[in-house]
Amino acid sequence: MARDSSATKARLLDAAFSEFAAYGIAGARVDRIAEAAQANKRLIYVYFGNKEQLFDGVLQRALETGSESVPFDVEDLPGYAGAIFDHLVAQPSLMRLMLWKQLERPGSADAEAASYRAKIARVEQAQREGLIEPSLDPADVLTLVMGLSQAWFGAMGGPAAGAGGADWEPERLARHRAAIVESVRRATTPAPAP
């Protein structure tokens, strides 16, 4: 019977996601990843290269999944911010992975930078069209949206802090989501013409 390499790769990426989110790059162990994936450790090196390249694969997959799950909507930045918050509530380990990435690998990879530049260009276009407050720097607008969306997950005691992930009551999450959406709406809505 032929082995299904795509299924093995997927299991390795899933196991690596959990391992990197829990321990970061330096603390992650390929033995634990292989064991959790029920795969031979050697396959990690065959499919991905070294541990750092495996992390890159995990991060790339997480970013692609996030882009598919939460498409960038420049015409509804408050809704986009709320959708990011919802995505992180559903996957609190994602924020832990991103925090480890920032700690151990500050800066952005080419794919991340290209995605960021494309979003900034769309914000800039929306400002020219009068959809977003034009006095704000487009990069600052995007930073504001992302920062507000992620703020509670990186905070001490936030949804991503505990082993149980998003242990907050639905009402509390709803209040935080509403505050994010309203803050983005207020910050990005163009001022009325005099």
Side-chain angles (χ1 to χ4, degrees), residues 2 17 19 43 141-142 146 148 152 156 190:
F17 177 94
E19 180 77 7
L43 292 176
V141 170
L142 189 56
M146 300 305 291
L148 284 171
W152 275 281
M156 295 293 285

Side-chain angles (χ1 to χ4, degrees), residues 16-30 32-33 51-52 55 96-97 99-101 103-104:
F17 177 94
S18 297
E19 180 77 7
F20 287 129
Y23 301 103
I25 300 169
R29 299 291 174 257
V30 291
R32 288 192 300 243
I33 294 169
K51 184 169 67 168
E52 288 75 19
F55 181 82
R96 287 182 55 86
L97 180 75
L99 291 170
W100 279 116
K101 190 262 181 218
L103 285 169
E104 295 183 307

Side-chain angles (χ1 to χ4, degrees), residues 11-34 36 44-45 48-62 92-105:
R11 285 194 323 272
L12 285 167
L13 286 169
D14 289 342
F17 177 94
S18 297
E19 180 77 7
F20 287 129
Y23 301 103
I25 300 169
R29 299 291 174 257
V30 291
D31 291 337
R32 288 192 300 243
I33 294 169
I44 292 172
Y45 300 102
F48 302 102
N50 60 32
K51 184 169 67 168
E52 288 75 19
Q53 290 167 315
L54 175 60
F55 181 82
D56 292 341
V58 167
L59 188 61
Q60 182 63 36
R61 183 182 187 214
S93 293
L94 179 57
M95 194 65 214
R96 287 182 55 86
L97 180 75
M98 299 308 292
L99 291 170
W100 279 116
K101 190 262 181 218
Q102 286 296 94
L103 285 169
E104 295 183 307
R105 281 204 185 149

